[in-house]
Amino acid sequence: HEIKNPLTPIQLSAERLRRRYLQSSSSEGELLDRATHTIIQQVEAMKEMVNAFSEYARTPRVELTRFDLNALIAEVSELYAHQDRPLAIKLALEPSLPLIEADAGRMRQMFHNLLRNALEAMEHQSDACVEIATRRVLGGETDQIEIKVSDNGPGFSGDIVHQAFDPYVTSKPKGTGLGLAIVKKLVEEHGGQIGARNRERGGAEISILIPVSVEAAVHTINRRQDHRRER
């Protein structure tokens, strides 16, 4: 809040200057136009960065419910199909997927972050497309659900693929570097695993494994959070 509070009056002041003094067609008017536009644009970027950092830092308790993960994915995907710049999303969801026991709000946030990350990576790409696939993985100590989110964009550049989930690591000019870091945090809060790679045919792929029932893992995580709060 200490950072965000000064940003709004700065932005409002720049907008007021634009409305009052941009009637002039002189070179001074053009300079004012460029300067105030830059101020407003950069203040908005700072707000987004502060919001992202706040989201990454907060650790509220995980609230478990049983829900249809495929239905949640379809619901979030539908939102991105009706934007100003629609995103083509192909769904390959296993119909026999069991109900998952997880925090629905966190899962929804996870998919929003993954889709926004893909959108930013393919900002200037007319054929931008994202594929989301789910399947049940049997074996081991617990049944798991595998989620793969892939796109046909430029993929991760250089060595970034090995640091994709580190805070503030990004190759996108508009990225905060916290989108995938937040996704990793959400996955780990559910006792899951996450990985990233570049596909051979181009584009990036995020793979996630989430236990069908995460009660034991979440109980341990909540206990750690309570211990941290006490300290």
Side-chain angles (χ1 to χ4, degrees):
H1 290 293
E2 297 300 324
I3 297 173
K4 283 183 69 175
N5 286 342
L7 295 179
T8 298
I10 291 171
Q11 187 173 17
L12 291 176
S13 297
E15 290 172 351
R16 192 174 302 147
L17 284 171
R18 285 176 66 83
R19 285 195 301 270
R20 181 159 185 176
Y21 296 108
L22 272 186
Q23 308 300 324
S24 171
S25 59
S26 65
S27 59
E28 287 81 2
E30 293 176 7
L31 175 62
L32 181 64
D33 180 27
R34 290 196 303 273
T36 53
H37 177 74
T38 299
I39 293 170
I40 293 168
Q41 191 178 53
Q42 294 305 309
V43 166
E44 198 61 41
M46 288 176 68
K47 282 183 176 180
E48 290 179 8
M49 192 176 298
V50 171
N51 288 335
F53 179 77
S54 175
E55 195 65 40
Y56 179 71
R58 73 184 182 90
T59 55
R61 293 179 65 88
V62 175
E63 300 295 336
L64 296 179
T65 57
R66 294 181 69 82
F67 60 93
D68 185 337
L69 182 65
N70 284 344
L72 185 145
I73 292 171
E75 174 193 322
V76 174
S77 300
E78 183 70 14
L79 296 175
Y80 287 82
H82 299 286
Q83 299 186 115
D84 293 337
R85 187 165 66 92
L87 176 65
I89 301 177
K90 296 179 180 178
L91 302 180
L93 310 177
E94 184 176 303
S96 59
L97 212 64
L99 295 180
I100 187 173
E101 186 181 58
D103 188 313
R106 277 170 158 80
M107 288 290 103
R108 185 175 285 106
Q109 181 188 358
M110 182 181 80
F111 287 108
H112 275 301
N113 280 23
L114 288 171
L115 289 172
R116 277 199 299 265
N117 190 72
L119 262 177
E120 290 173 0
M122 302 184 290
E123 184 178 12
H124 304 295
Q125 199 169 314
S126 59
D127 64 340
C129 180
V130 173
E131 300 175 20
I132 304 177
T134 60
R135 72 182 182 98
R136 188 176 189 176
V137 179
L138 301 175
E141 296 181 1
T142 58
D143 290 351
Q144 296 181 305
I145 292 176
E146 181 185 65
I147 306 159
K148 287 191 175 181
V149 180
S150 54
D151 63 55
N152 63 340
F156 296 102
S157 61
D159 294 332
I160 284 182
V161 67
H162 304 297
Q163 303 171 285
F165 304 107
D166 291 350
Y168 306 113
V169 172
T170 181
S171 60
K172 301 189 298 291
K174 293 185 178 179
T176 63
L178 284 172
L180 290 182
I182 291 171
V183 169
K184 182 175 186 283
K185 181 169 175 281
L186 295 172
V187 170
E188 289 179 343
E189 285 174 346
H190 286 80
Q193 303 169 41
I194 188 168
R197 72 180 185 96
N198 283 323
R199 300 192 302 172
E200 290 182 5
R201 62 180 182 272
E205 179 182 276
I206 304 294
S207 57
I208 297 167
L209 277 174
I210 295 284
V212 172
S213 176
V214 299
E215 184 175 4
V218 169
H219 178 69
T220 302
I221 291 164
N222 281 335
R223 196 169 55 200
R224 288 174 186 162
Q225 290 176 358
D226 290 340
H227 181 61
R228 279 199 294 267
R229 291 191 189 100
E230 288 171 6
R231 289 174 60 187

